[in-house]
Amino acid sequence: MDIRELLAPDVDFLAFGEPAHLESAFARIRNELFAELAGAVTAIALETDRVAALAVNDYVQHGVGDLDTVMREGFSHRFGELDNNRRLIAWMREYNETAERPLAFHGFDVSTEMMNAPSPRTYLEHARDYLGLDHDIAALTGDDERWNRTEAVLKAAESPGATPEADRLRVIADDMLVTLHAGAPMLIAATSRAEWDRARIHLTAGLGLLRYHRQAAEPVDDSARWTRMSAFRDAMMAQNLLDIRDAERGPVLVFGQNRHLQRNESHMRLGPMDMNWSSAGAIVSSLVGERYRLIVGSLGSSKAIDLGEPGPETFEGRLQGRVDEWGLVPARELAAAETRTDTNPMQGYFPLDQATVDGADAILHVTAGTDTQALVLRA
């Protein structure tokens, strides 16, 4: 299967999912794939904080800063420490030095983790300063650590998200967003469209965090609370992707965990909690239809996450024998199979299931010893 079959002229997103963050093969494939498609796609969007990624884009498009700094400060979730991400950013900067149309870099996530979420203070203060307002944001947020500590997510009663101060902050943030749009002609004339966009991105991120913390503070059972937080995070991812689409006006390569990019509903079992919610991919694809194309990553064995060989009746087992011939397998050609059960969910690995396969356009399978560069070129 030629991967360019998925890049029809009217495609907005070519999403490439990985089944686990800890297996580096998929990021290597992503880098090769992006280099192959440069020109056919206009940008890449990774599962990392959108605000932090602005500094990375400044570097790859305009040479602002240096590589060490943007890798340290331009990524969330410690993704700046990954060698394949560093290689990607270095390559993009080199490519853009002579490119007729420079490639853009985006993050489409918010800086939340399973066990914490940051204070909205810095995001709201950026927008306040751009608008020239005098709101005392710090007085309302208080110490940043009260938002960022693990207890604020694990225990609803420990969250600051439902305090009177948080309620006031949400009103202020919403009013600032209206002011930003109402004053767009004058603000852009006085600064630039890029600075206006940057203020909007900061403000929507801060407002999103306030909403996320509000969900963390809901006095409901943990399963319902964590489901709502997961749903809010993916909803924010979806909105970020749609904003990136509007900014780029061309196909964007999107890379992240399968659970965020799949077209079907996401499911995760965490201890006694059973959670189901709409993934970012499910939201975006429902809005743009076939303009969203999806390659789901599949993993056979892996030393990185202590994953042995898959059983022959599983999706991964059936794909094992097809790697040499295909590399990229049309999802419609993969027969029904069992879902793999010999896995440890705490490693962040999610095996293929029927719903995920049915919602994909293609499957890219990686197994131990695969020459990933040859695999991409063959695709």
Side-chain angles (χ1 to χ4, degrees):
M1 179 182 186
D2 189 335
I3 199 168
R4 289 170 181 79
E5 294 176 20
L6 301 177
L7 272 179
D10 61 347
V11 166
D12 292 329
F13 304 101
L14 177 59
F16 174 32
E18 58 177 352
H21 288 316
L22 296 177
E23 174 51 64
S24 62
F26 293 94
R28 292 199 302 272
I29 294 170
R30 173 207 68 196
N31 289 357
E32 294 290 339
L33 180 60
F34 189 47
E36 286 289 310
L37 297 177
V41 298
T42 62
I44 189 168
L46 303 190
E47 183 189 331
T48 191
D49 180 56
R50 191 177 184 202
V51 173
L54 293 171
V56 183
N57 191 57
D58 288 342
Y59 174 75
V60 299
Q61 288 205 322
H62 309 295
V64 177
D66 60 84
L67 183 58
D68 288 338
T69 301
V70 299
M71 296 310 298
R72 184 174 62 253
E73 300 177 0
F75 288 83
S76 60
H77 305 86
R78 301 185 65 179
F79 287 155
E81 300 174 13
L82 301 182
D83 182 63
N84 284 311
N85 285 346
R86 186 181 184 89
R87 290 175 181 271
L88 170 68
I89 302 310
W91 177 84
M92 289 184 70
R93 178 64 202 134
E94 181 179 358
Y95 176 90
N96 282 344
E97 286 180 347
T98 57
E100 182 175 345
R101 179 175 181 178
L103 297 168
F105 179 90
H106 298 278
F108 69 92
D109 201 356
V110 290
S111 54
T112 61
E113 301 273 6
M114 282 294 290
M115 297 302 176
N116 58 37
S119 166
R121 179 185 57 80
T122 57
Y123 304 97
L124 300 180
E125 287 181 339
H126 178 100
R128 175 204 62 191
D129 293 346
Y130 177 77
L131 291 170
L133 302 174
D134 61 356
H135 299 304
D136 192 348
I137 303 296
L140 292 170
T141 58
D143 185 0
D144 288 345
E145 183 58 27
R146 67 194 287 260
W147 301 79
N148 195 49
R149 60 199 181 98
T150 301
E151 292 81 2
V153 171
L154 291 181
K155 301 176 182 178
E158 298 289 331
S159 171
T163 60
E165 292 82 6
D167 290 340
R168 177 60 182 154
L169 281 168
R170 286 197 301 276
V171 172
I172 289 173
D174 188 64
D175 286 349
M176 284 199 295
L177 192 58
V178 174
T179 300
L180 184 70
H181 284 88
M186 293 173 290
L187 291 166
I188 292 172
T191 58
S192 68
R193 175 59 190 269
E195 290 184 62
W196 186 91
D197 282 335
R198 192 173 293 248
R200 180 180 57 84
I201 290 169
H202 278 78
L203 184 50
T204 54
L207 190 53
L209 283 170
L210 285 168
R211 292 166 178 160
Y212 185 86
H213 281 289
R214 182 65 182 82
Q215 293 307 308
E218 280 291 310
V220 295
D221 68 87
D222 283 344
S223 183
R225 195 167 61 86
W226 282 76
T227 295
R228 291 281 288 174
M229 288 191 291
S230 298
F232 267 56
R233 181 186 178 193
D234 270 83
M236 288 185 282
M237 286 182 171
Q239 184 59 65
N240 285 340
L241 285 173
L242 293 170
D243 285 348
I244 291 165
R245 182 272 310 266
D246 292 344
E248 291 302 326
R249 301 186 181 279
V252 177
L253 178 64
V254 183
F255 182 76
Q257 235 278 355
N258 283 340
R259 278 296 181 267
H260 294 304
L261 300 182
Q262 64 193 38
R263 284 192 176 100
N264 56 300
E265 186 178 62
S266 290
H267 170 76
M268 184 168 65
R269 188 165 186 84
L270 190 63
M273 296 185 295
D274 197 35
M275 299 178 288
N276 296 277
W277 71 95
S278 293
S279 67
I283 297 168
V284 171
S285 64
S286 72
L287 294 171
V288 305
E290 289 302 308
R291 300 175 78 93
Y292 182 88
R293 309 308 297 271
L294 174 64
I295 301 171
V296 169
S298 168
L299 181 61
S301 59
S302 171
K303 293 181 179 179
I305 58 174
D306 191 25
L307 189 63
E309 294 295 328
E313 297 306 313
T314 65
F315 288 104
E316 290 82 4
R318 293 188 176 183
L319 284 162
Q320 292 278 81
R322 301 190 63 170
V323 172
D324 289 341
E325 178 184 359
W326 288 98
L328 195 67
V329 180
R332 64 181 179 275
E333 297 184 4
L334 189 58
E338 298 175 3
T339 298
R340 194 172 184 176
T341 58
D342 60 330
T343 62
N344 178 2
M346 296 308 293
Q347 297 183 104
Y349 167 71
F350 295 90
L352 294 178
D353 56 40
Q354 191 66 59
T356 302
V357 171
D358 289 344
D361 295 294
I363 311 293
L364 196 151
H365 183 74
V366 169
T367 188
T370 299
D371 182 344
T372 56
Q373 181 173 6
L375 185 150
V376 170
L377 295 179
R378 187 164 60 248

